[in-house]
Amino acid sequence: MKTFSQKVVELALSIPKGCVVTYGMLAKRAGSGPMASQSITSILGKAYIAGEKNIPWHRIVYADGIIWVDDAHRIERMKLYKQEKIEIDAKGRIKDFKVKLWDFK
């Protein structure tokens, strides 16, 4: 049986290009409640350190389509959004969020 952390990594890797999921959706699909969404970044960070370098960080967003971008990753992430036709508005939200939202079906 897979652990919650293993499920989170597997699910994150399965998010298709051009789509996004929220931290809460990811936690729920991995088998936990909404509070577990706070552990997603830590779980994925540990997986990255352990060698999983293909994590699509830019496809995991906050509720309502809000993206997280720091100065160190801004250029790279905005390039990825553009390549995947995910438009970001001036307030840091995904345009057409409901259309880009993927539901792990």
Side-chain angles (χ1 to χ4, degrees), residues 11 14-16 19-21 25-26 29 98-99 101-105:
L11 290 166
S14 76
I15 304 166
C19 297
V20 297
V21 301
M25 291 170 64
L26 190 54
R29 182 69 170 141
K98 300 289 183 187
V99 173
L101 198 58
W102 191 60
D103 197 15
F104 294 109
K105 292 182 180 178

Side-chain angles (χ1 to χ4, degrees), residues 9 13 27 33 37 49 52 60 71 87-88 95:
V9 173
L13 294 172
S37 64
I49 291 167
E52 183 53 70
I60 306 167
D71 289 339
E87 294 183 63
I88 310 299
K95 293 181 181 179

Side-chain angles (χ1 to χ4, degrees), residues 43-102:
I43 290 167
L44 294 176
K46 288 176 185 176
Y48 183 85
I49 291 167
E52 183 53 70
K53 304 299 183 189
N54 294 317
I55 297 167
W57 300 96
H58 64 291
R59 296 182 195 144
I60 306 167
V61 301
Y62 294 115
D64 297 327
I66 299 168
I67 64 168
W68 178 88
V69 180
D70 64 355
D71 289 339
H73 300 94
R74 181 170 304 281
I75 292 171
E76 177 186 348
R77 287 208 180 170
M78 297 312 279
K79 182 179 176 182
L80 289 169
Y81 286 128
K82 185 174 182 178
Q83 287 174 350
E84 295 186 20
K85 296 181 176 48
I86 298 172
E87 294 183 63
I88 310 299
D89 69 17
K91 293 184 179 182
R93 293 179 189 265
I94 296 172
K95 293 181 181 179
D96 298 324
F97 174 59
K98 300 289 183 187
V99 173
K100 298 293 183 183
L101 198 58
W102 191 60

